[in-house]
Amino acid sequence: MTQSDPIARFDGKTLSYTYDNGWDFSNRFEGNIRVTMSPRRGELREPVQMRELRPDVFLVSWIDGEMGMLAQIIDLENGTVLATIPSEDEPNTTEIISAAISSFVG
């Protein structure tokens, strides 16, 4: 099996998704830069690392200025995103949240 170049696969595309908790995001990819508009924080431009785990399933990680290291598994085939985030309830722990992808265009 040959793996695609995930940076090239996402470059110029916008991924929109909504987490089960109601958080709604659209991320535009410019090469290895993930661009997100946050109502509270404005435009965020964060370098990402990407790896294709299997066809249409990608591990994406980046360092967020407020939350630290974050990671997502983007499953384009099944239209889902799983993410790890710092827990608000328990310091020094993480939780996994899931999202449904509404679009992947560009």
Side-chain angles (χ1 to χ4, degrees):
M1 175 183 85
T2 59
Q3 292 185 330
S4 66
D5 175 0
I7 298 297
R9 175 83 186 271
F10 281 72
D11 187 30
K13 293 198 169 86
T14 299
L15 177 71
S16 299
Y17 51 95
T18 303
Y19 285 109
D20 293 341
N21 64 10
W23 295 347
D24 190 35
F25 288 93
S26 286
N27 301 320
R28 185 176 77 247
F29 292 87
E30 298 174 357
N32 74 323
I33 303 296
R34 176 183 173 270
V35 182
T36 303
M37 282 303 297
S38 167
R40 187 171 56 86
R41 295 166 61 194
E43 183 180 87
L44 303 174
R45 298 179 65 82
E46 299 158 319
V48 297
Q49 297 292 318
M50 300 180 88
R51 177 163 197 143
E52 185 177 30
L53 302 175
R54 65 175 174 77
D56 288 333
V57 178
F58 301 88
L59 172 63
V60 181
S61 63
W62 67 97
I63 304 295
D64 179 89
E66 287 185 7
M67 299 175 77
M69 182 169 172
L70 300 175
Q72 293 177 324
I73 301 216
I74 298 172
D75 184 338
L76 297 175
E77 179 181 353
N78 291 306
T80 60
V81 175
L82 290 176
T84 59
I85 62 168
S87 174
E88 293 180 354
D89 300 326
E90 297 182 43
N92 301 317
T93 62
T94 59
E95 56 186 277
I96 296 175
I97 58 176
S98 61
I101 295 172
S102 54
S103 67
F104 181 59
V105 295

